[in-house]
Amino acid sequence: MQIITTIREMRKLRGTMSGSIGFIPTMGYLHEGHLSLVEQAKKENEHVVVSIFVNPKQFGPNEDFSRYPRDEQRDTELLKKAGVDVLFLPTVDEIYPEGFDTYVIVENISQVLEGEKRPGHFKGVATVVTKLFNIIQPDNAYFGQKDAQQVSVMKKMVTDLQFPIKIVVGITIREPNGLAKSSRNVYLTESEQKEAAVLFRSLQLALEKFQKGEKDSIKIKKEMKKLIQTTSGSIDYISIVDPETLKELDIIKKDTLISLAVYFGKTRLIDNIILH
Ligand code: PAF
């Protein structure tokens, strides 16, 4: 595996690579969710490039940028073992040199749900991913379904800006109790990890109700809320939306996205399900 830290070197290497390139952008502290994207990318491309960059521009001033978990050595070993061809590992100054002043904003769908709760978050994500797409020029880019809104924003961005890149979505990988794998799970205490499985259970409950014929989103949200309130979790939001427009739906239909954010202590967890 080649480890590249500068944009100049990455571009030079990209110029020598022929055949399809699968790209997985990450912020490191890798888990099985990332590795399953790598596995999928390996099957579907001739080369696999992974980036690790904890992007300061997608964290709010009171968020966890400085304490976001990092372990470059472990990540490098995992990616080598997984058969990744290139690891792009730039510094913050490399991506945002002094005077950097250009941003990518995906209007509307970036302003609801996570975007409403975390102002500026998707501006940071869209900007860094645009830069990474320009540097790496992949054919396929892999994102996890766990960040459902990020997937919607990425799809809209590549469509609107005509990136010749396919956005491929990997399934959410879960702990045995249903808790979605996330680098931030490391913040949870043992008892919080157990309790946090309620996010998944509430989504399963919603699915069950939907399959039994319930279509009223207020009633479904009420049931989910009731279940979550049996734990110490504090609900930030539960939303039931169209997965493309992210507009709230009163009546649930097929392929509706249910997503939620819940705090356990100071840790904010998100999860979602698409009703099929
Ligand atoms: O999902 C993430 O880890 C980040 O938002 C991403 C896509 C790597 C951009 O920094």
Side-chain angles (χ1 to χ4, degrees):
M1 183 174 77
Q2 301 204 54
I3 302 176
I4 306 290
T5 55
T6 66
I7 295 171
R8 203 169 63 87
E9 271 179 287
M10 188 62 235
R11 280 197 190 284
K12 203 164 135 201
L13 178 61
R14 173 64 182 94
T16 67
M17 291 162 91
S18 57
S20 65
I21 296 189
F23 171 51
I24 301 116
T26 83
M27 298 207 298
Y29 212 71
L30 304 175
H31 51 70
E32 285 86 341
H34 298 112
L35 297 176
S36 83
L37 295 178
V38 169
E39 207 176 299
Q40 193 176 347
K42 271 185 70 77
K43 282 190 198 135
E44 297 170 0
N45 301 274
E46 264 138 285
H47 308 280
V48 174
V49 179
V50 173
S51 65
I52 296 181
F53 179 65
V54 185
N55 174 30
K57 295 203 185 282
Q58 69 186 73
F59 290 80
N62 299 319
E63 292 185 358
D64 55 344
F65 173 67
S66 55
R67 71 180 192 117
Y68 193 83
R70 293 158 167 91
D71 193 340
E72 247 172 49
Q73 204 178 329
R74 179 178 158 275
D75 288 348
T76 306
E77 286 311 315
L78 285 171
L79 295 175
K80 262 190 210 161
K81 229 160 107 192
V84 166
D85 302 290
V86 182
L87 168 57
F88 183 48
L89 201 58
T91 61
V92 172
D93 287 343
E94 184 72 10
I95 295 293
Y96 301 120
E98 223 188 295
F100 181 87
D101 223 1
T102 302
Y103 293 88
V104 178
I105 297 171
V106 181
E107 302 273 17
N108 295 315
I109 60 168
S110 289
Q111 281 153 17
V112 294
L113 307 176
E114 288 300 290
E116 188 182 347
K117 299 286 176 179
R118 305 181 65 192
H121 172 66
F122 288 114
K123 175 179 167 188
V125 172
T127 300
V128 80
V129 173
T130 294
K131 288 201 64 146
L132 293 167
F133 281 179
N134 282 334
I135 297 163
I136 290 154
Q137 296 176 26
D139 297 279
N140 299 303
Y142 294 78
F143 294 86
Q145 175 59 32
K146 159 144 183 301
D147 295 301
Q149 188 173 7
Q150 176 166 275
V151 167
S152 305
V153 171
M154 292 296 101
K155 285 184 173 167
K156 186 83 177 96
M157 184 181 87
V158 296
T159 302
D160 287 355
L161 297 184
Q162 258 100 31
F163 278 107
I165 297 170
K166 183 173 161 207
I167 301 296
V168 186
V169 185
I171 57 162
T172 302
I173 305 294
R174 299 180 179 281
E175 301 289 353
N177 70 358
L179 174 63
K181 299 254 182 190
S182 161
S183 307
R184 287 188 169 100
N185 289 352
V186 73
Y187 299 148
L188 299 169
T189 63
E190 211 174 296
S191 71
E192 284 170 345
Q193 290 226 10
K194 281 187 191 140
E195 284 202 301
V198 77
L199 274 81
F200 179 63
R201 283 195 283 119
S202 72
L203 292 167
Q204 290 300 109
L205 176 68
L207 176 64
E208 239 172 70
K209 298 273 169 204
F210 172 69
Q211 284 171 341
K212 283 189 181 148
E214 184 58 80
K215 303 281 185 292
D216 182 335
S217 65
I218 293 179
K219 284 192 185 150
I220 295 222
K221 281 184 195 170
K222 227 185 227 169
E223 295 284 343
M224 291 174 72
K225 202 168 157 192
K226 212 163 86 190
L227 179 63
I228 296 166
Q229 282 172 339
T230 62
T231 70
S232 67
S234 157
I235 299 170
D236 195 12
Y237 69 80
I238 298 176
S239 89
I240 299 187
V241 297
D242 177 292
E244 226 174 89
T245 62
L246 303 187
K247 290 220 164 90
E248 288 286 339
L249 297 171
D250 294 333
I251 302 296
I252 302 182
K253 51 185 176 124
K254 201 170 150 273
D255 292 340
T256 288
L257 171 69
I258 305 189
S259 61
L260 75 167
V262 179
Y263 281 96
F264 281 89
K266 284 197 176 123
T267 309
R268 186 173 178 277
L269 300 174
I270 57 171
D271 204 345
N272 67 82
I273 193 173
I274 293 192
L275 300 179
H276 292 299

